[in-house]
Amino acid sequence: MAKNIQSLERAAAMLRLLAGGERRLGLSDIASSLGLAKGTAHGILRTLQLEGFVEQDATSGRYQLGAELLRLGNSYLDVHELRARALVWTDDLARSSGESVHLGVLHQHGVLIVHHVFRPDDSRQVLEVGAMQPLHSTALGKVLSAYDPVAHSEVMEAERRSFTGRTVTAADEFEAMLDLIRAQGWAADAEETWEGVAAVSAPIHDRRRMPVGAVAVTGAVERVAPGGVLRPELIAAVRDCARAVSRDLGAGRF
Amino acid sequence: MTDAHTTGTHGTGPFIAAIDQGTTSSRCIVFDKDGRIVSVDQKEHEQIFPKPGWVEHDATEIWENVQEVVAGAIVKAGITSADVKAIGITNQRETTLLWDKNTGEPVHNALVWQDTRTDALCKELGRNVGQDRFRRETGLPLASYFAGPKVRWLLDNVEGLRERAEAGDILFGTMDSWVIWNLTGGTDGGVHVTDVTNASRTLLMNLHKMEWDDKILSSIGIPAAVLPEIRSSAEVYGHAKGGILDGVPVASALGDQQAALFGQTCFAEGEAKSTYGTGTFMLMNTGSTPVNSYNGLLTTVGYQIGDKPPVYALEGSIAVTGSLVQWMRDQMGLIKSAAEIETLASSVEDNGGAYFVPAFSGLFAPYWRPDARGVITGLTRYVTKAHIARAVLEATAWQTREISDAMTKDSGVELTALKVDGGMTSNNLLMQTLADFLDAPVVRPMVAETTCLGAAYAAGLAVGFWPDTDALRANWRRAAEWTPRMDADTRAREYKSWLKAVERTMGWVEDEES
């Protein structure tokens, strides 16, 4: 077993000290409680303060637990919150693109569809909220695999089934595709999951730049990628939508 | 129409500007020909509470805000008055203002629809008949919401006002009239008008003739000299004078709920919309005849386009819907955000036998029982907070069902589909539950801002921007549809339990307390 890191142990002891009993403590109280020199204690407290785990009261100079600890415990973004925030933007994306829009999150080794806006024509369509999509072949799944480390490890460990002749299954080829997605900021699915269907997707981030989901435009391949080329204005519209939702999540979360 | 292959562009116009003078804020939205939003500006105004139960607005502040948001929306859209073909108005209904026509100054703050200071006056006006004294003529019960008794209160309580009113120096209006009068010049030739939908909320208009009712005016004690001219909802009342939209026709007025009905393109008899906010308002188009309600609904005007015959509607409201979710968040602390109610409710398959009737200030349509108070019933040790969350959502759905049933009884028309809008439509479980309980499809349109859109549509029709209501229907886009999945036996059993729970709420407040 590797040797323990002393400063981390001391930092943990400080957080426990601040969490129990009296909520606000002065520097000398902390230092003496833990048997540390004041200078050593101050250095650790300053680092914790910079990370947001500890806050210093401006008038008394005493230390208390910081808001970041609370956020660590509550970091999970409610998918229904995500849908509520995305509603206006996804409606507008469907309307401007003329195609259907889906919002997906990582769930049990796949993509869970949490929101679906119909293609704005008069055709009968069925709400797909609650449906699952594969991670490795859909535009939503590829975006999540590229940006979310949990999704990435899941997709690399799982069997990547071939749905059409275009599905990318080989590990090295798949990793190279994810590199490209990270570099360009969006993913596509050109008949890699369903024959005749193409999609473009972009990632949604929360205020700490954590990937929390993805938004995609999906439609017939001849409309979304006429002549085998994705329409650039569709890519721009999807990325605009993802940015707008991300902005809304950052503005109002806490 | 939009080329399906273009994205993100709104073209170069022309456009329609809609003003929504609401209860908490004033907004202006610019729409393009496809009914898509080009720009939005919004500003809140102060809520003034002089005494418990009294709610007022400063009408001068409101008019300043309206001018600001109109300018804001036009600037954000990057357009000029030449690109705007018409201005449409929608407004908080029933809020009442009197002002001096020579100076343009309000004589008192506006009395807001929620203000209950006229409760006693309404009882007194009912005389030996009760609250239905004017229902046959107006479609409304004598209740403190409506404008007529508020006018009387102002005339009785502002010193010297009655004399000035009788001399013809004072004008009355709901917020549509106030905005239109100021937009069209104010003291410099402003037109003093209201539309049929707003007039139908005053308790002063005869629904069958679309005229002020002389008998009611003398019963309530209001001089005819203060009244605006009643016009249709979609016609050019005048032109904007001064300001950023100088010279643009002012071409529609609709009360907010009627505007939502219009924006949802409920143009055929039997079509209905329901708006899910803190409370819920459901309106059903009943065609060219006003349907009397024997089941606790209001009869009101839906809209009137130019010189075409008026279209009537039945209205039912639910006092507590979104506010129940807020209560679960703020008072019970069971959830951290309103959206989380769905997460919690989805963690269980059903309500576990629990029912929640949120009769916080009595039961409204169709019961009208002020003696009722809220209950949670059917509790066992099996019930968890998730079951209660489910019961919260089901309460909104069952109350919609009760209003829908009352509408069917009164009109003889079965609901074929319900068009929904408002903040709670982002709750997927609620929308599915609604479809299950109504046994009818629930449809959400692509533009959530149906109120402003309705005002824009009416104004656009008046100036020929859109040719007819068919063109507006063609603009309507389905964003989502929930179809019923519940079997008939379960629905019937659950409804029976809900009705039992409703019974448990009644008679809680004893006579002397109420």
Side-chain angles (χ1 to χ4, degrees):
Chain A
M1 198 176 121
K3 190 169 170 280
N4 289 345
I5 299 167
Q6 194 186 35
S7 56
L8 276 179
E9 285 177 338
R10 287 172 170 172
M14 275 180 192
L15 292 175
R16 277 192 210 102
L17 188 66
L18 288 167
E22 206 180 336
R23 285 179 56 90
R24 286 184 183 177
L25 294 172
L27 173 62
S28 41
D29 297 331
I30 296 171
S32 62
S33 297
L34 300 176
L36 296 173
K38 263 194 185 182
T40 313
H42 186 246
I44 295 169
L45 280 166
R46 258 179 48 106
T47 310
L48 287 172
Q49 197 182 347
L50 280 172
E51 294 295 331
F53 292 137
V54 160
E55 284 166 10
Q56 191 176 20
D57 185 73
T59 46
S60 68
R62 285 164 174 260
Y63 293 91
Q64 62 186 31
L65 292 182
E68 189 61 27
L69 281 170
L70 197 71
R71 282 172 203 155
L72 275 182
N74 289 331
S75 63
Y76 164 73
L77 173 69
D78 190 285
V79 297
H80 301 109
E81 185 80 40
L82 178 62
R83 184 200 299 133
R85 304 273 185 166
L87 202 69
V88 177
W89 306 109
T90 45
D91 274 6
D92 196 62
L93 178 59
R95 191 131 195 176
S96 67
S97 65
E99 301 294 347
S100 64
V101 172
H102 294 87
L103 199 63
V105 298
L106 179 68
H107 181 71
Q108 292 179 346
H109 309 278
V111 183
L112 173 68
I113 302 301
V114 295
H115 183 48
H116 172 200
V117 185
F118 288 173
R119 187 174 61 251
D121 57 25
D122 281 339
S123 64
R124 274 275 166 232
Q125 294 163 70
V126 177
L127 207 60
E128 291 166 19
V129 173
M132 293 290 293
Q133 289 187 0
L135 272 177
H136 69 281
S137 65
T138 60
L140 287 171
K142 284 197 264 182
V143 162
L144 293 175
S145 303
Y147 286 90
D148 183 340
V150 179
H152 182 257
S153 66
E154 285 181 1
V155 77
M156 294 318 291
E157 283 162 21
E159 180 212 5
R160 290 178 296 282
R161 254 182 70 198
S162 184
F163 298 110
T164 73
R166 291 163 165 268
T167 314
V168 176
T169 55
D172 51 346
E173 209 185 331
F174 188 73
E175 283 283 26
M177 186 168 66
L178 295 186
D179 284 341
L180 177 66
I181 291 165
R182 279 186 285 264
Q184 66 191 14
W186 53 272
D189 164 9
E191 299 190 88
E192 292 158 54
T193 314
W194 302 281
E195 298 283 357
V197 176
V200 189
S201 176
I204 295 170
H205 294 97
D206 68 6
R207 58 172 284 284
R208 283 166 299 156
R209 304 298 302 160
M210 294 293 288
V212 289
V215 62
V217 155
T218 305
V221 66
E222 53 271 23
R223 289 195 308 263
V224 173
V229 183
L230 277 169
R231 285 165 53 210
E233 66 272 24
L234 265 189
I235 299 169
V238 171
R239 298 187 72 191
D240 281 348
C241 176
R243 270 193 290 264
V245 179
S246 302
R247 221 170 25 236
D248 265 13
L249 289 172
R253 261 253 18 239
F254 289 106
Chain B
M1 294 301 102
T2 326
D3 177 356
H5 288 231
T6 55
T7 55
T9 54
H10 294 287
T12 51
F15 305 99
I16 302 284
I19 298 168
D20 177 3
Q21 202 302 294
T23 306
T24 56
S25 72
S26 301
R27 300 198 299 160
C28 180
I29 301 187
V30 175
F31 290 95
D32 71 7
K33 201 153 196 166
D34 296 327
R36 280 181 65 195
I37 294 172
V38 179
S39 66
V40 185
D41 200 27
Q42 176 164 358
K43 193 165 185 203
E44 292 192 3
H45 54 260
E46 192 189 351
Q47 306 293 315
I48 303 162
F49 305 107
K51 289 185 187 182
W54 292 25
V55 190
E56 299 180 356
H57 289 159
D58 176 352
T60 306
E61 180 193 5
I62 284 182
W63 169 237
E64 282 165 5
N65 288 0
V66 166
Q67 290 169 281
E68 242 178 78
V69 296
V70 169
I74 297 300
V75 169
K76 280 186 194 171
I79 59 177
T80 68
S81 62
D83 303 312
V84 180
K85 290 298 152 203
I87 305 166
I89 318 282
T90 177
N91 56 290
Q92 51 168 321
R93 303 180 301 175
E94 297 122 9
T95 295
T96 301
L97 184 70
L98 294 176
W99 70 94
D100 187 314
K101 77 172 182 192
N102 305 307
T103 64
E105 298 287 331
V107 301
H108 190 275
N109 279 334
L111 306 192
V112 179
W113 58 277
Q114 300 144 322
D115 188 301
T116 55
R117 78 185 67 184
T118 53
D119 268 345
L121 177 61
C122 286
K123 274 205 184 101
E124 184 192 317
L125 288 169
R127 295 216 301 224
N128 53 340
V129 189
Q131 64 169 12
D132 284 340
R133 183 175 171 203
F134 304 127
R135 195 187 263 271
R136 197 186 332 176
E137 296 85 359
T138 65
L140 308 173
L142 260 166
S144 62
Y145 298 118
F146 305 114
K150 293 187 199 288
V151 178
R152 160 76 180 269
W153 188 92
L154 288 166
L155 291 171
D156 286 351
N157 288 278
V158 179
E159 210 187 316
L161 190 59
R162 183 169 288 280
E163 291 70 35
R164 287 161 72 195
E166 275 160 5
D169 291 325
I170 300 296
L171 302 179
F172 150 69
T174 38
M175 298 321 281
D176 54 319
S177 303
W178 173 242
V179 170
I180 294 171
W181 188 79
N182 279 295
L183 265 179
T184 55
T187 52
D188 180 18
V191 293
H192 186 220
V193 296
T194 187
D195 94 298
V196 288
T197 66
N198 279 295
S200 78
R201 316 296 293 190
T202 58
L203 264 170
L204 305 174
M205 187 186 78
N206 186 303
L207 264 186
H208 310 270
K209 299 184 193 152
M210 298 289 163
E211 289 167 3
W212 300 119
D213 189 299
D214 289 335
K215 269 192 191 155
I216 298 178
L217 287 175
S218 66
S219 302
I220 300 188
I222 296 173
V226 303
L227 300 172
E229 189 187 339
I230 300 174
R231 305 277 284 269
S232 79
S233 319
E235 63 175 283
V236 177
Y237 308 122
H239 292 76
K241 200 179 272 183
I244 197 165
L245 291 179
D246 186 49
V248 176
V250 180
S252 77
L254 285 159
D256 50 13
Q257 297 305 325
Q258 281 89 343
L261 185 75
F262 208 85
Q264 285 272 26
T265 67
C266 294
F267 300 132
E269 195 175 331
E271 287 189 307
K273 73 90 199 173
S274 200
T275 303
Y276 291 89
T278 48
T280 289
F281 291 88
M282 180 167 168
L283 272 76
M284 178 194 254
N285 181 326
T286 61
S288 55
T289 41
V291 173
N292 280 324
S293 178
Y294 300 97
N295 293 286
L297 306 173
L298 306 180
T299 310
T300 197
V301 182
Y303 57 88
Q304 182 185 18
I305 302 169
D307 49 16
K308 296 204 176 100
V311 171
Y312 294 89
L314 279 170
E315 174 174 327
S317 53
I318 310 171
V320 179
T321 52
S323 53
L324 181 58
V325 177
Q326 288 164 4
W327 184 82
M328 294 293 281
R329 181 192 63 197
D330 301 335
Q331 259 63 46
M332 295 293 104
L334 286 187
I335 44 173
K336 290 198 294 288
S337 73
E340 262 184 53
I341 191 88
E342 185 175 356
T343 312
L344 187 54
S346 302
S347 66
V348 287
E349 286 296 306
D350 55 33
N351 60 21
Y355 298 82
F356 193 156
V357 188
F360 289 168
S361 44
L363 283 170
F364 288 53
Y367 301 101
W368 300 106
R369 290 285 298 258
D371 60 331
R373 285 299 177 269
V375 299
I376 303 175
T377 187
L379 295 180
T380 59
R381 283 187 67 173
Y382 169 77
V383 170
T384 65
K385 64 179 179 177
H387 294 115
I388 302 290
R390 196 130 187 147
V392 160
L393 297 181
E394 291 185 353
T396 292
W398 282 130
Q399 286 175 284
T400 306
R401 165 74 191 264
E402 290 182 323
I403 289 178
S404 155
D405 283 359
M407 285 182 173
T408 303
K409 275 188 206 155
D410 281 332
S411 67
V413 181
E414 289 270 347
L415 188 73
T416 48
L418 182 65
K419 292 178 170 178
V420 294
D421 50 61
M424 284 181 100
T425 56
S426 75
N427 191 313
N428 198 63
L429 179 63
L430 173 62
M431 293 300 110
Q432 182 59 52
T433 306
L434 203 50
D436 287 342
F437 289 1
L438 291 172
D439 195 20
V442 169
V443 188
R444 182 176 79 80
M446 217 160 253
V447 174
E449 302 290 350
T450 52
T451 304
C452 272
L453 185 62
Y457 276 172
L461 281 181
V463 298
F465 186 70
W466 289 290
D468 50 32
T469 51
D470 286 346
L472 302 179
R473 271 187 191 283
N475 262 349
W476 193 88
R477 297 279 184 281
R478 188 190 317 261
E481 175 167 340
W482 294 267
T483 45
R485 287 188 205 147
M486 185 175 262
D487 66 87
D489 288 347
T490 310
R491 182 184 304 114
R493 193 178 62 240
E494 287 294 311
Y495 196 16
K496 200 175 151 201
S497 300
W498 163 260
L499 293 173
K500 263 161 73 181
V502 169
E503 270 173 41
R504 302 284 187 277
T505 68
M506 297 182 188
W508 181 260
V509 179
E510 305 284 338
D511 245 1
E512 52 270 35
E513 297 172 47
S514 62

